[in-house]
Amino acid sequence: MNQLAHLHQQVELGLQELQLPNKPDNLYESIKYIIDLGGKRLRPVMVLLGNDVFGGQLNKALPAALSIELFHNFSLMHDDIMDNADLRRGKPSVHVQWNLPTAILGGDALLVVAYQQLMKSSQEHVVELLNLFNVTALEVCEGQQMDMNFEVQNDVSVADYLEMIRLKTAVLMGASFKMGAIIANASNFDADLMYQFGQDLGVAFQLKDDFLDCFGNPSFGKVIGGDILENKKTLMYLHAQHKGSQNQQEELAELANVSDAKTKIHSTLKLFEATGAKAAAENKMNEYYKKALANLNNLHLSDVHKETLGKFAESIWQRQK
Amino acid sequence: MNQLAHLHQQVELGLQELQLPNKPDNLYESIKYIIDLGGKRLRPVMVLLGNDVFGGQLNKALPAALSIELFHNFSLMHDDIMDNADLRRGKPSVHVQWNLPTAILGGDALLVVAYQQLMKSSQEHVVELLNLFNVTALEVCEGQQMDMNFEVQNDVSVADYLEMIRLKTAVLMGASFKMGAIIANASNFDADLMYQFGQDLGVAFQLKDDFLDCFGNPSFGKVIGGDILENKKTLMYLHAQHKGSQNQQEELAELANVSDAKTKIHSTLKLFEATGAKAAAENKMNEYYKKALANLNNLHLSDVHKETLGKFAESIWQRQK
């Protein structure tokens, strides 16, 4: 088994062994349900990997890794309510499977359980980890609030968008790598670089996610056009809105009201190509991916360990859906 | 100024001086809004009082006191969504003043801010305080979930109801007193007794709240019958349901569907008297109040300090609305 598969397995085992209270049934079943829906477990693997490359022991980093995954699932449970998302990984979301109160309370309880898990970290690091967790958790809330606000806001800039995805998605990846480094007693300099690595990778990751939603390959199982149908103000949308010709801008505005899905997606994609939005998005995501990798050069690590981190980044980057 | 007024003032000052981030505007304005709606600040005063009677310094207990009040407001913000409560202290609730996503995220962020505030406590106590906070926060979620579940559950017992209000309301009061005692370096024995004092007082407090909702004096500004109109399964309701005669039980069941508010309230109150539910509720709340006071006897405190705690309990107990 390769290293990443091993770390992933340790995360799954840790999640299965979580001891949760039993009552009320629906409260804790909703938590088990969302955890059992699975996922790539990227963030906890980042914690374990960040710890491993600095020579840390896996069992010392596992509580923080699980905590980060629990936090991530808390945010998914609440986001699904706000986004009116009825499905999560092909299954009913918690607020659909149960109801709104259970999804709110399940999320609240899951956030508390994430704190409890983080507090199982060794005494020596627990305060530093908690402080980082607190700051990051607030930023994730801020990012989601910005995302919500953008839905009814007409003056969103590309810079606003980049800041939103940094907060909503990227800081948690930065914090994951940094926590691993902290637990392995890496220097502040290296821990901060790991944060930067994760954060840049997180922005690249989200930009690519948006890109694949438009230009992914359906033969890899990617469903195309979800963001377009929701009138999401992605970087591509904002580029077309700001940089398109008068005609193109008007066409984009009119497309918001088109109800036929196929027409809407097809015409929007053509506009994204014609306005240079597609190329701009590719450039931007490549820029962040390179920025992420550049951080690795300055780490006080052997080339082998830098390569491990680089390969991990590449494995995320190469995904097709 | 008497001592309680002084502690209350310190809480208000502390809340005013809270440093919150500014952006996104609506996220943090929703938090300031609910804090500024005011309230009795009972729980933070309990922290400060629990600290003071054991000789602790006020400034050492203030972060925990503010944290508890922030946590309480987090739970109110989310509860108002679940309860469809449009008003909070006579003003629009957060989900009405803003919207559902802001009320969910505002609550989430407020919970994190409560953790940040608690972490300003001295290093020596912070882990113990956090552990107590975590357990208590989960219990409060469990209590609210039980309350939600009871709405659609037909087999709720009086014991279930008492357990629900213990979790939803009373444990936070227990934890408040205990945190104060911990920060003042009271013994575990005394800290646990303070918890018990607060918890019993909390159950008594909630039972009296339910009682006043039915049998309070409108001339004190109490609006009567809110719980009855919502078909709330209070102790009185459950007593009437379980202990009433066949006829009374049928009448109670039929009253659930009566739409005229005045008739519904009037008939239910009569039923509460006729079935002995009113008397049973009075007995139960007095029992918990006495139980609360009995804990004071065993504290390793001077009579003066026991009296201070007793007077505080009485001040809560004597309120008319």
Side-chain angles (χ1 to χ4, degrees), chain A residues 21 23-28 71 74 78-79 81-82 99-113 115-116 119 123 126-128 130-131 133-135 137-146 148-149, chain B residues 21 23-28 71 74 78-79 81-82 99-113 115-116 119 123 126-128 130-131 133-135 137-146 148-149:
Chain A
K23 285 188 178 174
D25 301 357
N26 49 351
L27 182 67
Y28 291 107
F71 175 83
F74 138 77
H78 280 186
D79 285 2
I81 302 171
M82 299 179 229
N99 47 45
L100 178 68
T102 304
I104 294 178
L105 286 167
D108 293 345
L110 192 41
L111 177 54
V112 176
V113 172
Y115 276 102
Q116 283 186 318
M119 288 196 66
Q123 191 99 35
V126 75
V127 169
E128 187 175 2
L130 281 165
N131 284 331
F133 186 92
N134 284 333
V135 169
L138 270 192
E139 288 177 333
V140 172
C141 291
E142 292 167 7
Q144 171 68 3
Q145 182 74 61
M146 286 175 79
M148 291 287 109
N149 293 350
Chain B
K23 284 183 178 177
D25 300 359
N26 48 352
L27 182 66
Y28 290 107
F71 175 83
F74 138 77
H78 280 186
D79 284 3
I81 301 171
M82 300 178 230
N99 47 46
L100 178 68
T102 304
I104 294 177
L105 287 167
D108 293 345
L110 192 41
L111 177 54
V112 176
V113 172
Y115 276 102
Q116 284 187 316
M119 290 197 64
Q123 191 98 35
V126 76
V127 168
E128 188 175 1
L130 281 165
N131 284 331
F133 186 92
N134 284 334
V135 169
L138 270 192
E139 289 177 333
V140 171
C141 291
E142 292 166 7
Q144 172 67 4
Q145 183 74 61
M146 286 175 79
M148 291 287 109
N149 292 351

Side-chain angles (χ1 to χ4, degrees), chain A residues 9-224:
Chain A
Q9 189 193 46
Q10 293 304 306
V11 170
E12 290 296 347
L13 278 174
L15 290 172
Q16 278 167 37
E17 284 168 7
L18 271 185
Q19 297 289 331
L20 290 176
N22 287 314
K23 285 188 178 174
D25 301 357
N26 49 351
L27 182 67
Y28 291 107
E29 278 169 12
S30 74
I31 292 179
K32 288 174 195 139
Y33 175 84
I34 196 164
I35 293 171
D36 289 347
L37 288 182
K40 294 184 282 292
R41 315 296 193 197
L42 280 182
R43 295 156 192 80
V45 167
M46 288 173 177
V47 177
L48 298 182
L49 196 59
N51 179 63
D52 187 73
V53 292
F54 287 99
Q57 289 171 268
L58 186 140
N59 65 327
K60 282 201 175 177
L62 198 56
L66 299 179
S67 170
I68 288 286
E69 183 64 11
L70 295 171
F71 175 83
H72 177 56
N73 279 277
F74 138 77
S75 73
L76 296 179
M77 206 191 285
H78 280 186
D79 285 2
D80 283 344
I81 302 171
M82 299 179 229
D83 298 339
N84 285 311
D86 290 349
L87 292 176
R88 160 75 44 201
R89 309 192 203 286
K91 295 272 175 67
S93 316
V94 170
H95 64 280
V96 174
Q97 182 74 8
W98 284 271
N99 47 45
L100 178 68
T102 304
I104 294 178
L105 286 167
D108 293 345
L110 192 41
L111 177 54
V112 176
V113 172
Y115 276 102
Q116 283 186 318
Q117 195 59 39
L118 189 57
M119 288 196 66
K120 295 184 180 172
S121 307
S122 70
Q123 191 99 35
E124 146 192 34
H125 301 117
V126 75
V127 169
E128 187 175 2
L129 296 174
L130 281 165
N131 284 331
L132 177 56
F133 186 92
N134 284 333
V135 169
T136 307
L138 270 192
E139 288 177 333
V140 172
C141 291
E142 292 167 7
Q144 171 68 3
Q145 182 74 61
M146 286 175 79
D147 198 12
M148 291 287 109
N149 293 350
F150 287 178
E151 285 185 10
V152 291
Q153 204 173 312
N154 282 319
D155 56 347
V156 181
S157 69
V158 167
D160 292 334
Y161 181 74
L162 290 171
E163 177 64 0
M164 184 276 282
I165 62 173
R166 185 183 76 82
L167 294 167
K168 181 170 169 168
T169 304
V171 295
L172 189 60
M173 297 191 175
S176 297
F177 276 125
K178 183 170 177 173
M179 280 191 183
I182 288 171
I183 295 163
N185 292 315
S187 68
N188 289 344
F189 177 87
D190 281 338
D192 287 340
L193 268 177
M194 289 297 283
Y195 184 92
Q196 208 54 52
F197 170 57
Q199 184 175 254
D200 292 336
L201 194 60
V203 173
F205 175 85
Q206 186 58 50
L207 289 174
K208 180 139 188 186
D209 208 58
D210 297 347
F211 185 82
L212 291 175
D213 195 81
C214 287
F215 298 104
N217 190 337
S219 64
F220 286 103
K222 185 77 200 174
V223 180
I224 302 297

